[in-house]
Amino acid sequence: MATTPPERPQAESAAWPSTSANSFRQQYIAHSSTTDSDLVEAAYAHEQEHSNGAMGRREFLATSTQMEGTSYVSGEKTAVPSATESQGSSTDHPSNEDVHVSRAANLNDSTPTEELPTPGHPVATTASPVEALEADDDYADGKFQPIKTAATKDTTDQRPKMQKKGSGRMTEDDLFRVLSRRRTNASDGPGSQLTPVVTQEEQAEIERLMSRMFGQNRREHSEEEKTRHVGLTFKNLTVKGMGLGAALQPTLSDPFLGLPRLLSKLFSKGKSASSKPPVRTILNDFTGCVRPGEMLLVLGRPGSGCSTFLKVLANQRFGYESIQGDVTYGGSDAKEMGKNYRGEIVYNPEDDLHYATLSVKNTLSFALKTRTPGKASRNEGESRSDYVKEFLRVVTKLFWIEHTLGTKVGDEFVRGVSGGEKKRVSIAEAMITRASTQCWDNSTRGLDASTALEYVESLRTLTNMAHISTLVALYQAGESLYDLFDKVILIDEGRCLYYGSTENAASYFENLGFERPARWTTADFLTSVTDPHERKVREGYNDRIPRSAAQFEAAYRNSDAYRTTIEDTRDFEQELETQRKERLANRSKATKQKNYNLPFYKQAIECTHRQFLIMYGDQLTLGGKWGGIVFQSLIVGSLFYNMPQTSAGVFPRGGVIFFLLLFNALLALAELTSAFSSRPILLKHKSFTFYRPAAYAIAQTVVDLPLCLVQVLLFDIVIYFMSGLGRTASQFFISVLILFVQTLSMYSFFRAIGALVGSLDIATRITGVAVQALIVYTGYLIPPSKMHPWFKWLIWINPVQYGFEALMANEFSGLTIQCVPPNLVPYGANALTGYQSCTLQGSQQGMTTVRGADYIREAFTYERAHLWRNFGIITAFWIFFVFLTMLGMELQKPNAGGGAVTIFKRGQAPSSVERAMDSGKVVEDEEKAGESDGEKLALGDSSGSESGTAVKGVAKNESLFTFQNVNYDIPVDKGSRKLLNDVQGYVRPGKLTALMGSSGAGKTTLLNTLAQRINFGVVAGDFLVDGRPLPKSFQRATGFAEQMDVHEPTATVREALRFSALLRQPKEVPTEEKYDYCERIIDLLEMRSIAGATIGKIGAGLNQEQRKRVTIGVELASKPELLLFLDEPTSGLDSGAAFNIVRFLRKLADSGQALLVTIHQPSSVLFEHFDELLLLKSGGRVVYHGPLGKGSRQLIEYFERNGAKECDPSANPAEYMLEAIGAGDPNYKGQDWGDVWAASSEHEERSREIQQMIAERRNAPKNSQTDDSRVFAMPLGTQIFA
């Protein structure tokens, strides 16, 4: 029997907080190594002693389960105690594994001991939770028992009391609805009474469901689960990268001027000119740990080192100069994990990388098939297909994507699931990996507040159930998101400013002397202290606060938080040592290496099946390609129609054979772009250890076989018979065979280049030279006998040349060529046939016919005997290129790191950057340097007063845009689907209007519809400018800043703005004036220091915030005369950058601009800057339209007046309204807020207001600017020249 547990501390009130419950459980476990039933009985006896028997056994068990199992649901934070804390209550040091209890309740503890009676199952009153679960026959059979109906909870007391349950049954769908309702009630504010969302038995059933994949029963039967590396520690982690941080844009002249420039530097600066770039520190001496079941929030501005931190902890170490320090996973070092256990660590980039043409079901099924454990790690009698079906069913219902299983994932060009659903597909894919450590990099980018919250809640659920360590970097985190995390780390300039519990982070910085502004979220406050212009200092602390990142780091290292982290890490290392020993004891031959679950040949089979599904999902592209092939074959066949078998048809006959080869070879060039577009997905799957990249290369080759055969047949059959090539069965089928193998060889050739080369730019240069060599040195344009000796060797490594020889031999070997003039000599009226000869090569004296075999022997040195030799050589080339592709794909490194580089056009870099590059020093952030020099630009000091001053020099709008009865329908398989339903509203000059709603509500769709950018489906409605129909110049006279930040990568910031101004401002405006206006925009957006920088791509160009500013600047440069649409201008930005962008938009509105902005996850501070709101619900229906009022009071009063719960004063109004309308909750059962709005007095008032505006504006004098009938501002000649 267990030793006597320590006495539970008494609380003053009638209830114990959940923290005390968890602490008591840990203290008991620390003294016990007994069974769960012993633990339950002892805890119950102890409870009886202190409550005088007031609580029955069943009530106690259910209550303790609820208190432990749902602590994270109610938003109450449960600190994870270290071993030293446990030591403080006992002299005996507990075993390390027993000490650690994750923030989520363990599945064994959260399953109730006693089940309600069900048919065929007696009541177990004394069994432990695990025994009760395993005794369930339906659980063992893979089925579910009917789940009991939830009872209503009495919340009058702090301790929830159980009530009698009825006899009603709960379906499995009801269970998942319960699971989907689990969320943190963060909006209720601190100190409010939180009502438990999930009853005790519901929670137990949820845990019982999840235990099918992650529970004790599966762990006990799984070799993999017994040998998992759970828990992460990092000590003295320092990462260094090589580079200056800036570079010059390469140009066409570089190959010619590179050597003279190098010699010039050598003469002027000596050896320093050729020295290596300097090494800079990206992360400096990080220490900490993330226990199983814990979530770590990574905060920092873009460029601070957050992505590097996640990549290194995810063991993605490629691209860095050096990585120092120790990182261990469950006690094993990074080298061992990278060699034998890569699949247990996952890094998820911020982009959702999936094949667009695959359905959600096929995407997840493929991941499951490749990650299905072996027979020894599955339940008894469970087959692979059973595992896949069960896991797929559970995971899709858990993350609410079961309704999307038949829908394509989609991307920018393929219509698919919404952004929020795509995020959940990514989470489900990561869950399938069952990785012990998961790192997520800014994955809420582009999600609205409700979907972002669901996303992090899903991670919370995954972390709790799978007992893993999760690290998440978020640039904008609301309070409800922040509360879901256990620990937080703040990074700036590669230094750790704070690492510790989320509860203590804000108070730590407040104690340093910083002031937290009202209604700022904790995450925004933490990030703001790293920005000199955003942070607010408490009175009297101006001379005492740390200011630089190094000073913050020094302050942290002298704090109690740092000492606690060191102790916690040391204690956890001791626990991991015990875990490591147990893992070694349980290790078998099958689990000695766990990189891939499938053998190589099965990986190739699964990849081949998926590749066929990808091609099938893109039938339009495939059909278009084949249709184009048939069309071109008809044209070519008509050009060579029925070639004569005379000397006049000899050269054309060689020409049509050459074209057959060349056309199919050049079609393979498309593989180059395909190789680079699919590379990120391949590398993601490689890091997830779904399959070896070599298996994917084989799969592509296998899929090529039928597709290339169809392609060759379509092209060859038409041209072969139209042109009159040799019409024997052997000649035709040999021709098809040679063309088929030749095409496969060329596909593999270009694919190998794509696999071996790092960028599409370099690959394009290589293929450009290669294609020239393939064409010129085939033997048709220049016969081999006339080739220059220096380059003739190219024909021996040219697979097309071997194919050309084989086809020429196949065609001419049995052909007798009749000589006709002008190849017949002498020729004339009196010429006698017996004295005539043929001038064609291979002819014999006195013969007017030439044997085809002689002709090709003399003209090309080709032999019929070489045909099958050449076939073998082409096949060998094909196999060799496939091998190179496999090798190249295996050598590619996923998520390669390194310092970001800003690329400047030569001669346009700021002087400080040029000096730094010349001297070989690390280039500092130019924008920071500019501000430190006192160059305060138009945005002004962020720490100043609120916006109220207008931006000078920006065009002012005077026109009013209204829209009424807007409906948008798109065709679907069985009819049509309405995306917008009777939407109406207006956008007024001088007002900043927010367009908001949950993911999939139709925000971007409405924005595109209003901007007249829809070219699919049926749009109906009245769109008026000043009460009149839209002018032809509407699209040119409006600005539309897209979310995707699409720009020409090689253009500089200044060039992008000038291009927009030149072509979109009216032609009456002088060019010089247009360019001057661009310079004003550059200053307004604080881009003077990067005006000469090329836009590039992330990592080799502008960062995310700078690209967003360029997007806005390009639209402002066009001087929009009517209004400006902006789609997610703050997406992907940190809170400080988002604040600057929104504040700038506020100033634009104050200057007279009319702006309509879709925005996600706005904090209450950002939300205050908006004047009006247009709120949509799913289905594209309006929920609210009108002014927000001071403190959003008009909005809040509208919802409270119509039945929504009261808004807490500390709540974020943006989150409150989305929660009120049930945004993002598929199980929302409240009133339809679209109907509420349609019947409201506010709706009637808006309608009258719109009609009044239309009437007033229609009678007003016309604005000459909006009366422009030109679609394009500039004539065609200027467009071509620009």
Side-chain angles (χ1 to χ4, degrees):
M1 192 62 187
T3 58
T4 305
E7 185 175 350
R8 183 172 187 167
Q10 293 291 326
E12 293 181 2
S13 62
W16 293 312
S18 58
T19 344
S20 301
N22 286 337
S23 302
F24 170 72
R25 180 160 61 96
Q26 291 167 36
Q27 291 177 23
Y28 176 80
I29 294 175
H31 288 75
S32 172
S33 57
T34 57
T35 63
D36 291 326
S37 57
D38 290 335
L39 186 152
V40 172
E41 292 299 327
Y44 172 64
H46 188 75
E47 168 63 21
Q48 288 291 86
E49 178 184 346
H50 287 273
S51 61
N52 299 320
M55 181 181 288
R57 179 198 308 273
R58 176 191 177 101
E59 194 171 355
F60 168 72
L61 290 174
T63 304
S64 61
T65 298
Q66 187 274 336
M67 293 170 72
E68 293 175 3
T70 62
S71 62
Y72 74 94
V73 176
S74 65
E76 295 173 11
K77 307 291 288 184
T78 305
V80 180
S82 64
T84 52
E85 291 171 338
S86 299
Q87 272 184 328
S89 60
S90 170
T91 55
D92 299 324
H93 195 283
S95 64
N96 295 314
E97 285 196 346
D98 287 339
V99 168
H100 173 64
V101 178
S102 71
R103 180 185 182 194
N106 188 287
L107 294 175
N108 304 343
D109 299 327
S110 54
T111 306
T113 301
E114 192 170 77
E115 296 271 334
L116 288 179
T118 53
H121 291 271
V123 177
T125 55
T126 58
S128 70
V130 178
E131 291 167 346
L133 181 61
E134 293 174 349
D136 192 333
D137 294 335
D138 285 338
Y139 177 83
D141 295 339
K143 301 176 183 176
F144 281 96
Q145 276 292 92
I147 300 168
K148 293 83 182 171
T149 309
T152 0
K153 292 182 292 288
D154 184 3
T155 57
T156 53
D157 294 327
Q158 285 186 334
R159 174 183 295 173
K161 295 181 180 179
M162 291 292 293
Q163 294 186 355
K164 302 263 186 178
K165 288 188 177 287
S167 59
R169 299 291 184 184
M170 189 184 214
T171 66
E172 189 175 307
D173 288 334
D174 294 333
L175 169 64
F176 281 104
R177 279 196 290 273
V178 170
L179 184 58
S180 69
R181 289 200 305 270
R182 297 187 305 167
R183 61 173 62 236
T184 301
N185 296 316
S187 59
D188 292 337
S192 61
Q193 177 61 46
L194 299 180
T195 303
V197 182
V198 185
T199 63
Q200 291 87 341
E201 292 201 9
E202 285 173 343
Q203 178 68 25
E205 295 289 1
I206 290 166
E207 306 292 350
R208 178 170 175 256
L209 167 71
M210 290 302 297
S211 69
R212 299 176 70 86
M213 291 302 143
F214 302 104
Q216 181 72 17
N217 187 50
R218 187 172 290 277
R219 287 202 294 268
E220 288 181 352
H221 291 85
S222 172
E223 286 187 348
E224 287 190 359
E225 291 295 331
K226 294 177 182 178
T227 56
R228 285 176 65 195
H229 298 71
V230 293
L232 165 70
T233 65
F234 49 97
K235 291 181 65 177
N236 308 118
L237 178 63
T238 299
V239 180
K240 296 183 179 181
M242 181 177 289
L244 296 170
L248 295 176
Q249 173 76 14
T251 62
L252 289 173
S253 63
D254 285 355
F256 308 102
L257 299 178
L259 183 60
R261 287 171 182 158
L262 178 61
L263 292 175
S264 174
K265 284 186 179 180
L266 284 173
F267 283 116
S268 60
K269 296 176 181 159
K271 293 183 179 180
S272 62
S274 59
S275 60
K276 286 185 177 181
V279 175
R280 54 193 181 123
T281 301
I282 303 175
L283 296 179
N284 183 55
D285 200 9
F286 281 49
T287 298
C289 68
V290 185
R291 295 171 180 264
E294 281 187 349
M295 289 181 66
L296 171 66
L297 174 61
V298 182
L299 291 178
R301 292 184 294 169
S304 60
C306 296
S307 294
T308 299
F309 178 70
L310 291 179
K311 287 179 182 179
V312 173
L313 291 189
N315 218 18
Q316 309 289 331
R317 298 181 165 225
F318 322 108
Y320 299 106
E321 182 66 18
S322 69
I323 299 177
Q324 303 165 1
D326 300 323
V327 182
T328 62
Y329 308 86
S332 298
D333 61 23
K335 186 176 181 180
E336 180 185 353
M337 295 298 294
K339 183 179 180 181
N340 298 323
Y341 305 99
R342 291 196 297 272
E344 292 199 38
I345 314 168
V346 164
Y347 171 80
N348 295 269
E350 59 183 288
D351 297 317
D352 295 303
L353 302 174
H354 303 285
Y355 286 103
T357 56
L358 269 186
S359 68
V360 172
K361 180 179 180 180
N362 289 331
T363 299
L364 297 179
S365 295
F366 172 78
L368 277 167
K369 289 174 183 177
T370 58
R371 294 291 294 177
T372 300
K375 186 176 181 181
S377 295
R378 298 195 300 269
N379 287 339
E380 187 176 352
E382 185 180 37
S383 65
R384 284 185 172 274
S385 60
D386 292 339
Y387 179 90
V388 170
K389 289 178 183 177
E390 181 67 8
F391 206 123
L392 181 65
R393 186 181 66 85
V394 170
V395 80
T396 52
K397 284 199 171 187
L398 176 64
F399 297 120
W400 320 323
I401 51 176
E402 68 272 15
H403 63 286
T404 67
L405 286 177
T407 309
K408 293 179 182 177
V409 177
D411 59 6
E412 296 88 346
F413 309 105
V414 179
R415 187 179 296 274
V417 298
S418 69
E421 291 163 344
K422 194 180 295 185
K423 287 292 178 190
R424 291 195 283 271
V425 172
S426 297
I427 301 170
E429 194 177 52
M431 187 177 189
I432 288 167
T433 65
R434 304 169 68 86
S436 304
T437 301
Q438 298 189 9
C439 301
W440 298 78
D441 193 358
N442 193 26
S443 297
T444 60
R445 188 184 74 177
L447 298 183
D448 61 88
S450 60
T451 308
L453 180 59
E454 294 162 12
Y455 157 76
V456 180
E457 284 177 339
S458 301
L459 287 184
R460 180 77 260 177
T461 301
L462 171 61
T463 305
N464 295 335
M465 300 301 176
H467 207 53
I468 63 176
S469 302
T470 305
L471 298 84
V472 184
L474 298 179
Y475 286 154
Q476 297 183 53
E479 200 64 31
S480 52
L481 270 68
Y482 182 85
D483 287 341
L484 291 170
F485 290 88
D486 303 287
K487 294 178 179 178
V488 61
I489 183 172
L490 180 62
I491 305 174
D492 186 39
E493 297 181 9
R495 297 177 182 271
C496 179
L497 276 55
Y498 175 82
Y499 181 92
S501 68
T502 51
E503 296 94 336
N504 301 330
S507 60
Y508 168 79
F509 285 101
E510 287 172 346
N511 292 336
L512 285 181
F514 296 98
E515 181 181 345
R516 178 176 177 176
R519 306 191 78 170
W520 275 44
T521 64
T522 306
D524 287 352
F525 168 60
L526 297 183
T527 309
S528 69
V529 301
T530 65
D531 189 342
H533 304 300
E534 280 192 49
R535 60 192 179 210
K536 296 185 182 298
V537 183
R538 290 166 57 186
E539 188 175 350
Y541 279 80
N542 284 319
D543 299 330
R544 299 160 58 184
I545 63 165
R547 300 189 179 276
S548 66
Q551 292 173 349
F552 273 105
E553 183 186 51
Y556 167 66
R557 290 183 182 278
N558 292 324
S559 67
D560 292 335
Y562 178 70
R563 287 185 283 273
T564 302
T565 298
I566 297 297
E567 293 174 3
D568 188 31
T569 305
R570 187 185 304 116
D571 294 334
F572 187 49
E573 283 180 332
Q574 297 174 3
E575 298 177 27
L576 292 180
E577 181 61 25
T578 303
Q579 180 194 129
R580 189 181 67 84
K581 292 178 181 177
E582 292 185 0
R583 188 170 59 246
L584 290 175
N586 291 321
R587 191 167 70 175
S588 64
K589 185 177 180 181
T591 58
K592 190 174 181 179
Q593 190 179 56
K594 296 193 299 182
N595 285 335
Y596 299 98
N597 286 5
L598 289 181
F600 184 79
Y601 77 94
K602 286 189 177 181
Q603 294 176 28
I605 292 173
E606 292 298 338
C607 287
T608 302
H609 178 245
R610 183 193 62 173
Q611 202 66 19
F612 274 114
L613 292 175
I614 292 171
M615 300 303 298
Y616 182 77
D618 196 14
Q619 298 178 47
L620 187 61
T621 300
L622 196 60
K625 177 183 178 181
W626 287 348
I629 288 172
V630 172
F631 181 73
Q632 293 183 63
S633 67
L634 289 170
I635 294 176
V636 175
S638 65
L639 291 175
F640 295 95
Y641 186 70
N642 270 347
M643 292 179 297
Q645 294 185 356
T646 65
S647 59
V650 168
F651 192 73
R653 197 171 294 269
V656 73
I657 290 173
F658 175 68
F659 190 82
L660 281 170
L661 281 168
L662 182 64
F663 180 81
N664 287 285
L666 293 182
L667 272 183
L669 263 174
E671 284 303 307
L672 202 60
T673 53
S674 174
F676 283 97
S677 63
S678 61
R679 178 181 287 186
I681 306 174
L682 168 67
L683 294 181
K684 174 186 174 182
H685 289 174
K686 179 182 179 180
S687 68
F688 282 15
T689 63
F690 285 166
Y691 51 84
R692 296 194 72 93
Y696 174 67
I698 292 176
Q700 284 184 309
T701 305
V702 174
V703 172
D704 282 345
L705 296 176
L707 296 180
C708 288
L709 182 60
V710 172
Q711 173 184 318
V712 167
L713 287 174
L714 289 174
F715 197 68
D716 193 31
I717 288 175
V718 175
I719 294 180
Y720 194 91
F721 291 105
M722 284 187 71
S723 59
L725 296 178
R727 297 190 179 181
T728 65
S730 64
Q731 284 179 304
F732 171 71
F733 286 113
I734 288 174
S735 168
V736 170
L737 179 63
I738 297 296
L739 278 174
F740 175 58
V741 179
Q742 181 71 64
T743 304
L744 289 174
S745 175
M746 295 313 299
Y747 267 78
S748 298
F749 170 67
F750 290 116
R751 196 175 285 144
I753 293 177
L756 291 167
V757 176
S759 69
L760 182 59
D761 180 45
I762 299 174
T764 305
R765 299 178 199 174
I766 295 174
T767 53
V769 175
V771 166
Q772 279 190 328
L774 290 174
I775 294 174
V776 174
Y777 289 92
T778 298
Y780 176 70
L781 298 178
I782 306 175
S785 59
K786 296 182 180 180
M787 290 180 183
H788 197 287
W790 289 357
F791 297 106
K792 188 176 180 179
W793 59 271
L794 288 171
I795 66 172
W796 308 118
I797 60 171
N798 184 355
V800 180
Q801 183 267 339
Y802 293 100
F804 184 67
E805 179 181 2
L807 289 179
M808 288 288 285
N810 177 60
E811 176 62 26
F812 281 92
S813 290
L815 183 67
T816 300
I817 305 168
Q818 180 67 46
C819 263
V820 295
N823 299 107
L824 192 64
V825 293
Y827 174 71
N830 300 321
L832 297 177
T833 307
Y835 295 94
Q836 288 180 317
S837 292
C838 192
T839 60
L840 200 65
Q841 291 167 299
S843 64
Q844 297 180 9
Q845 189 174 357
M847 299 288 293
T848 57
T849 58
V850 180
R851 293 176 63 245
D854 295 337
Y855 167 71
I856 61 173
R857 185 185 303 113
E858 292 296 325
F860 300 98
T861 66
Y862 291 166
E863 295 284 348
R864 175 67 172 78
H866 292 169
L867 191 151
W868 294 111
R869 181 205 72 175
N870 289 1
F871 171 76
I873 292 174
I874 297 170
T875 305
F877 268 116
W878 174 43
I879 295 172
F880 175 66
F881 292 144
V882 171
F883 171 75
L884 286 182
T885 306
M886 295 168 63
L887 179 64
M889 288 183 174
E890 287 287 345
L891 292 176
Q892 291 171 8
K893 302 300 184 182
N895 308 311
V901 178
T902 304
I903 301 174
F904 290 91
K905 193 171 182 179
R906 190 174 295 276
Q908 296 190 22
S911 57
S912 58
V913 173
E914 288 186 346
R915 288 194 300 269
M917 286 192 291
D918 289 342
S919 61
K921 295 180 180 178
V922 174
V923 177
E924 296 296 331
D925 190 334
E926 268 301 297
E927 296 183 82
K928 291 182 180 178
E931 289 183 3
S932 64
D933 293 339
E935 299 174 11
K936 293 296 179 187
L937 302 178
L939 278 178
D941 188 353
S942 297
S943 60
S945 60
E946 292 298 320
S947 60
T949 59
V951 178
K952 298 179 181 179
V954 177
K956 184 178 180 180
N957 300 141
E958 297 178 355
S959 300
L960 176 68
F961 178 60
T962 60
F963 47 95
Q964 286 183 290
N965 307 317
V966 177
N967 291 274
Y968 177 41
D969 298 87
I970 60 169
V972 291
D973 293 338
K974 299 178 181 179
S976 63
R977 179 184 175 192
K978 188 177 287 292
L979 298 183
L980 297 176
N981 191 351
D982 285 333
V983 180
Q984 69 171 14
Y986 51 78
V987 184
R988 297 187 289 181
K991 299 294 182 182
L992 182 57
T993 305
L995 174 58
M996 296 184 65
S998 64
S999 177
K1003 301 180 297 298
T1004 301
T1005 301
L1006 177 59
L1007 208 65
N1008 285 318
T1009 304
L1010 298 181
Q1012 307 299 304
R1013 295 162 62 94
I1014 295 290
N1015 52 16
F1016 174 77
V1018 179
V1019 177
D1022 300 323
F1023 304 93
L1024 304 174
V1025 173
D1026 290 336
R1028 303 179 182 89
L1030 303 183
K1032 290 183 178 179
S1033 61
F1034 177 78
Q1035 284 186 289
R1036 174 172 57 79
T1038 57
F1040 193 102
E1042 293 185 343
Q1043 179 181 353
M1044 303 303 294
D1045 299 326
V1046 180
H1047 299 286
E1048 170 57 44
T1050 58
T1052 66
V1053 173
R1054 182 178 282 108
E1055 289 169 350
L1057 267 62
R1058 287 186 172 185
F1059 183 80
S1060 175
L1062 182 64
L1063 295 183
R1064 295 173 66 184
Q1065 289 189 25
K1067 65 180 181 180
E1068 292 79 13
V1069 180
T1071 302
E1072 194 64 34
E1073 184 178 331
K1074 293 180 180 180
Y1075 288 171
D1076 290 342
Y1077 187 74
C1078 291
E1079 297 303 314
R1080 288 205 297 273
I1081 298 299
I1082 287 173
D1083 286 338
L1084 290 173
L1085 289 170
E1086 288 187 316
M1087 297 190 296
R1088 174 63 59 190
S1089 58
I1090 58 169
T1094 56
I1095 297 170
K1097 60 181 182 180
I1098 302 295
L1102 304 184
N1103 63 34
Q1104 188 69 42
E1105 179 192 358
Q1106 292 166 341
R1107 296 170 72 86
K1108 187 65 66 178
R1109 280 191 270 166
V1110 173
T1111 300
I1112 298 174
V1114 165
E1115 298 306 317
L1116 288 176
S1118 69
K1119 219 169 188 177
E1121 300 161 355
L1122 297 179
L1123 71 158
L1124 183 61
F1125 299 102
L1126 297 104
D1127 191 11
E1128 306 299 339
T1130 62
S1131 178
L1133 305 181
D1134 68 289
S1135 56
F1139 181 73
N1140 284 337
I1141 292 293
V1142 172
R1143 195 172 41 136
F1144 178 71
L1145 297 179
R1146 173 70 265 166
K1147 292 188 176 184
L1148 286 178
D1150 293 339
S1151 301
Q1153 285 274 339
L1155 297 100
L1156 180 60
V1157 183
T1158 63
I1159 187 166
H1160 283 163
Q1161 308 174 43
S1163 64
S1164 56
V1165 179
L1166 291 185
F1167 200 56
E1168 285 292 317
H1169 285 81
F1170 289 89
D1171 301 301
E1172 295 172 339
L1173 170 70
L1174 179 58
L1175 181 61
L1176 300 181
K1177 68 181 290 289
S1178 57
R1181 298 190 66 190
V1182 178
V1183 173
Y1184 179 82
H1185 175 230
L1188 289 169
K1190 185 174 179 59
S1192 304
R1193 284 312 305 170
Q1194 285 186 247
L1195 170 73
I1196 294 171
E1197 288 171 0
Y1198 168 78
F1199 280 104
E1200 291 179 345
R1201 188 168 60 250
N1202 287 280
K1205 70 173 185 179
E1206 186 177 347
C1207 179
D1208 189 273
S1210 62
N1212 181 355
E1215 294 181 3
Y1216 163 77
M1217 68 181 186
L1218 291 174
E1219 184 181 348
I1221 66 173
D1225 185 0
N1227 308 308
Y1228 173 72
K1229 299 298 182 184
Q1231 58 184 335
D1232 189 327
W1233 285 92
D1235 295 338
V1236 173
W1237 170 255
S1240 68
S1241 59
E1242 287 84 355
H1243 174 253
E1244 294 181 6
E1245 183 182 346
R1246 293 292 94 74
S1247 300
R1248 286 195 303 269
E1249 195 174 352
I1250 291 173
Q1251 293 299 332
Q1252 183 180 354
M1253 289 177 180
I1254 293 174
E1256 291 177 354
R1257 291 282 182 159
R1258 184 177 292 157
N1259 298 326
K1262 282 189 177 183
N1263 186 345
S1264 60
Q1265 292 179 329
T1266 60
D1267 196 29
D1268 191 349
S1269 60
R1270 295 171 297 187
V1271 177
F1272 300 101
M1274 302 301 290
L1276 181 61
T1278 306
Q1279 297 176 33
I1280 296 173
F1281 178 75

